[in-house]
Amino acid sequence: MKTTQTPAPVPAESGAPVTKADLPTAPPPKEKKEGTVLNAFSHGILVLWAVMVVMPLLWAVMTSFKDDRSIFSSPWSLPDTLHFDNWSRAWTEANMSDYFLNTVLVVGGSLIGTLVLGSMAAYVLARFDFPGNRFIYYLFIGGMSFPIMLALVPLFYVVNNMGLLNTIHGLILVYIAYSLPFTVFFLTAFFRTLPTSVAEAAFVDGASHSRTFFQIMLPMAKPGLISVGIFNFLGQWNQYMLPTVLNTDPDKRVLTQGLVQLAVSQGYKGDWSGLFAGLVMAMLPVLAAYIIFQRQVVQGLTAGALK
């Protein structure tokens, strides 16, 4: 390997005075690392943002174990006694158990349907060239930009004419249609990052398109499925506008409708401790899902950039 040698300094002529330029110069001092102030500022912003997000959650959990008098007299203090009866009262008397079951049925069915239909549509759009491919893809993209409030009135009449108003399966279908555009957009970009050599090898071995998709490509897309599944779960679990318009049956309300009903049922004599208990009940599944799958969410979001 060639090395670059520094030529030796030319000695000064005999009798000539030696100047500072002829003397060997010391290497310049290392410059101070740049970006220290910026890093400190960015870390400070992140810490402030974490406090702003975590503190309301901790306060809601703490308040759910207080009685109504303590909530107003000492809202920032720890509860003197843990009132677990708030949770039991919200679960039974406020019908949170029924609302929770309805929400699990609606969100579970819509999440499975969204992931199955969205992954199949995204795989076809990402891997196969056919007339109208880009047109269909941009239709899904257009669905993301369409405000749902503009579709509430015609959607109500469509669901009513189909006999699906105030039904669990009708709400599931609406949730699937509402979540498909983002799911197809996200998974189409993810399927394009997967290697095509594996699918080609499966075709050479005689595998059909459906077998290649379900047994090979879909397991490879697991990080992307988990990521988009978490986002859809968050949006569908916290959805309030669609069930309010399409689900007016009191026996089939979801959690968001139940919390609003719990807040306004007794007017100024509202059960605030039970309300906070119900709020934490609705919040815990979302937090648990994100904590469990947070690593997969990060992998799914960064997979396209790392490949």
Side-chain angles (χ1 to χ4, degrees), residues 37-146:
V37 178
L38 182 60
N39 290 335
F41 178 76
S42 61
H43 283 78
I45 293 297
L46 291 177
V47 171
L48 179 62
W49 179 259
V51 172
M52 293 174 60
V53 172
V54 174
M55 286 303 296
L57 300 180
L58 295 179
W59 181 76
V61 174
M62 180 183 66
T63 308
S64 66
F65 292 102
K66 293 182 177 182
D67 56 3
D68 292 338
R69 182 182 58 83
S70 300
I71 292 176
F72 291 99
S73 61
S74 55
W76 301 109
S77 63
L78 294 175
D80 299 332
T81 305
L82 297 180
H83 295 271
F84 291 100
D85 58 311
N86 298 338
W87 289 63
S88 61
R89 188 172 64 255
W91 185 258
T92 56
E93 297 180 9
N95 298 323
M96 293 299 294
S97 58
D98 297 335
Y99 303 149
F100 195 91
L101 178 60
N102 293 337
T103 306
V104 169
L105 293 177
V106 172
V107 175
S110 61
L111 193 60
I112 294 174
T114 301
L115 292 179
V116 172
L117 296 177
S119 60
M120 290 192 296
Y123 177 74
V124 172
L125 293 174
R127 293 289 177 159
F128 298 97
D129 291 329
F130 55 90
N133 181 301
R134 304 305 298 173
F135 177 73
I136 297 176
Y137 175 74
Y138 287 124
L139 280 180
F140 282 108
I141 301 299
M144 295 175 55
S145 61
F146 190 81

Side-chain angles (χ1 to χ4, degrees), residues 145-228:
S145 61
F146 190 81
I148 190 62
M149 290 184 293
L150 297 180
L152 287 178
V153 175
L155 184 61
F156 175 85
Y157 285 107
V158 170
V159 174
N160 188 28
N161 292 334
M162 296 176 64
L164 299 177
L165 197 64
N166 298 328
T167 60
I168 296 295
H169 53 279
L171 203 58
I172 290 175
L173 293 178
V174 173
Y175 276 21
I176 292 176
Y178 173 75
S179 304
L180 266 181
F182 173 74
T183 304
V184 173
F185 168 75
F186 187 95
L187 291 180
T188 300
F190 191 87
F191 275 118
R192 287 173 180 167
T193 64
L194 299 180
T196 59
S197 57
V198 180
E200 293 173 354
F203 291 143
V204 172
D205 292 339
S208 62
H209 288 286
S210 59
R211 185 175 182 182
T212 301
F213 171 73
F214 284 106
Q215 295 186 2
I216 298 177
M217 303 305 295
L218 203 59
M220 292 175 62
K222 181 180 177 181
L225 291 174
I226 293 178
S227 298
V228 74

